[in-house]
Amino acid sequence: MSLVPAKPRIGDKVFSGLSTGAGILIFVILAAVAMFLIAQAFPALVSSPETLQSQGYGPFLSWVAPFAFGTVYSAFWALVFAVPVSIGIALFISHYAPRRLAATLGYVIDLLAAVPSVVFGLWGANVFAPALQPLHQWLATYLGWFPLFTPPASGTGRSMLTTSLVLAVMILPIITSLCREVFLQTPKLHEEAALALGATRWEMVKMAVFPFARAGIVSAVMLGLGRALGETMAVAMVLSGAGVIKFDIIGQQNPNTIAATIALNFPEASGLRINQLIAGGLILFVITLAVNMLARWIVRRRAAFSGAN
């Protein structure tokens, strides 16, 4: 007796077509953005240093290098400040807090992600930076021998340290929310088995939760890194930036970011200056794409060992 295959329903065909079209559309949009950036940046990329210098702009690589450094450097410190706190909050919500408190904290964290960047910028420039200015002076006075705290300290508090802390607050809800959901997906059988063997709550977390959630934690961190790399308004409003490469995080001169530089200079730009700024956007596009590819590679390597499959 032969089975007659069921005819595909119209709804299935429509859903399949929409899903395929949406997937293709993502690649089309990405390719269109890349082609636009390359086309608009091409004049600045092929112009001779003499041509750029004659218009007062300087060679492109010398111009963009400090801003690329500032972009990566500020995002790095934002991750240093945000990741431990985010993982701690997510672990507290998922495994330690009472149910009512966990629900309330989860709601507050999700609400924090909805705050606009300009609000963080206003808070960072007008409230947070002046409040941190005494800390800058203390670090310069007592820890000035350390390269990160080389004096003189910023007199306004609008330094790389303040900017990184503001960025950390902005990416904290993203990393926390994703880590919380990953922690909650840990198989209960693994947790109960660890506790049954005499493990404490923290030992159970180390043996059962963290190995399972490792790939998810990496994905959450990389998503937060992408947000920090592309942040514009908050950095432009808080950071007292310049085209320099410096490693101290409390100084008066700080390396600016690509996104903030574009936002601050684009309204008054004209001619080859516009192409130079768009070329900076192309560099930021490449950096973000490289970060996402690195995240995918790490997740694929770790997924097989985390139990996520």
Side-chain angles (χ1 to χ4, degrees):
M1 180 178 178
S2 61
L3 298 176
V4 179
K7 294 182 179 180
R9 300 177 181 177
I10 297 179
D12 294 337
K13 292 183 178 180
V14 172
F15 180 77
S16 176
L18 290 176
S19 301
T20 304
I24 296 175
L25 182 62
I26 294 175
F27 288 103
V28 171
I29 294 175
L30 187 64
V33 171
M35 288 188 294
F36 166 79
L37 291 174
I38 293 173
Q40 294 296 319
F42 189 75
L45 295 175
V46 300
S47 295
S48 63
E50 293 77 13
T51 302
L52 292 172
Q53 287 178 346
S54 65
Q55 301 188 27
Y57 301 144
F60 173 72
L61 291 180
S62 300
W63 172 81
V64 78
F67 303 130
F69 169 79
T71 300
V72 177
Y73 198 54
S74 61
F76 165 77
W77 282 111
L79 288 184
V80 170
F81 296 135
V83 170
V85 178
S86 299
I87 294 178
I89 295 175
L91 193 61
F92 177 74
I93 293 175
S94 60
H95 286 80
Y96 287 92
R99 183 170 300 179
R100 288 187 178 180
L101 180 59
T104 302
L105 286 177
Y107 175 77
V108 171
I109 293 296
D110 294 338
L111 186 63
L112 189 63
V115 178
S117 300
V118 67
V119 175
F120 281 110
L122 290 171
W123 168 72
N126 298 322
V127 179
F128 196 49
L132 285 184
Q133 201 278 330
L135 175 62
H136 286 65
Q137 296 296 335
W138 187 90
L139 291 172
T141 301
Y142 296 100
L143 297 177
W145 52 269
F146 193 65
L148 293 177
F149 310 126
T150 304
S154 172
T156 61
R158 299 175 62 179
S159 64
M160 181 62 69
L161 174 62
T162 305
T163 304
S164 299
L165 288 171
V166 172
L167 287 176
V169 174
M170 296 179 67
I171 67 177
L172 187 142
I174 298 174
I175 303 176
T176 300
S177 298
L178 293 176
C179 289
R180 178 190 65 200
E181 296 303 321
V182 173
F183 292 161
L184 290 174
Q185 297 302 317
T186 305
K188 293 298 181 183
L189 184 60
H190 294 184
E191 297 180 0
E192 293 172 357
L195 293 174
L197 292 174
T200 63
R201 182 72 64 88
W202 171 239
E203 290 172 338
M204 178 271 292
V205 168
K206 290 193 298 182
M207 292 188 297
V209 177
F210 282 163
F212 178 85
R214 188 176 294 122
I217 293 174
V218 172
S219 299
V221 170
M222 289 302 175
L223 190 60
L225 176 59
R227 169 71 189 275
L229 289 172
E231 180 52 44
T232 304
M233 289 307 301
V235 177
M237 298 172 70
V238 176
L239 182 64
S240 178
V244 296
I245 297 179
K246 297 182 68 176
F247 287 92
D248 66 280
I249 60 177
I250 64 170
Q252 299 174 353
Q253 267 196 333
N254 306 276
N256 210 346
T257 66
I258 294 177
T261 301
I262 294 174
L264 293 172
N265 292 275
F266 203 86
E268 301 177 356
S270 62
L272 197 59
R273 179 62 167 172
I274 295 179
N275 302 113
Q276 189 179 42
L277 292 173
I278 295 178
L282 177 62
I283 300 299
L284 180 59
F285 180 81
V286 172
I287 293 174
T288 306
L289 186 63
V291 168
N292 289 329
M293 293 176 63
L294 176 64
R296 289 290 182 182
W297 178 75
I298 294 176
V299 169
R300 282 199 301 268
R301 283 197 61 189
R302 295 294 184 182
F305 304 100
S306 64
N309 291 340

